Structure formats: structure tokens, C-alpha cells
Amino acid sequence: MITSPSRLVPVPIPDRVAALIGSCLPLHVLQAEIDADCAAREVYRFRGPLCAEDRADREHALSTLARANKILAKHHPLLPVRHN
């Protein structure tokens, strides 16, 4: 049996519920959440030896993620998006 570190199973949130949750948050926090999610995906895209242009793009994505996480953490300490 394979065990996972968490027993939580991601469950899709219906669009109306997501819209209701989003309506309770300030607009700059919602934008920061979107920016952090996109930047984290961009960071994961870069693997292996990187050319100078890819390194610059990765650094830009990391700075965007850090900026967005700063806003999210200021709103609530558990909101920042993590990356490995």
C-alpha cells in the first residue's frame, strides 16, 4: 500500500461556490492569488540545465511569486502559494 503525506483528497469547487468565496475577498488579494498560482506553474516549468534566457524567466517568475505571496500572507498567514 502506498501512503501519502496527507489523507486529504482535493475536491473540485463548483464555480458558484468559488465566485461566492471570491466575492468575500478584496480584489487585490484575488489578483495576488491568481498571480501566485500562475507564477508557481511557471517556476515548475523550468527543469534541468537552463540557458541564460530561461534562468532570467525563472527568476522573473520567482519574483512574481514572492510579490504575490507577500500580499497573500499580509491578508492571511495560510494563503501563500508554496513551491519546491
Side-chain angles (χ1 to χ4, degrees):
M1 182 169 121
I2 298 174
T3 61
S4 65
S6 173
R7 296 186 184 272
L8 298 176
V9 177
V11 177
I13 299 174
D15 290 340
R16 286 184 177 209
V17 174
L20 180 62
I21 293 169
S23 69
C24 298
L25 293 173
L27 186 58
H28 71 282
V29 174
L30 286 174
Q31 186 62 51
E33 184 179 11
I34 292 167
D35 292 344
D37 188 47
C38 291
R41 261 192 246 119
E42 186 74 10
V43 169
Y44 287 128
R45 189 172 69 84
F46 297 105
R47 297 283 181 216
L50 302 175
C51 67
E53 186 177 314
D54 285 348
R55 277 194 306 270
D57 289 343
R58 184 176 188 273
E59 289 299 319
H60 183 267
L62 284 171
S63 69
T64 301
L65 178 60
R67 193 176 322 111
N69 274 342
K70 207 174 193 182
I71 295 168
L72 294 173
K74 186 176 180 181
H75 184 72
H76 191 282
L78 296 178
L79 283 180
V81 174
R82 309 259 185 246
H83 74 87
N84 295 331

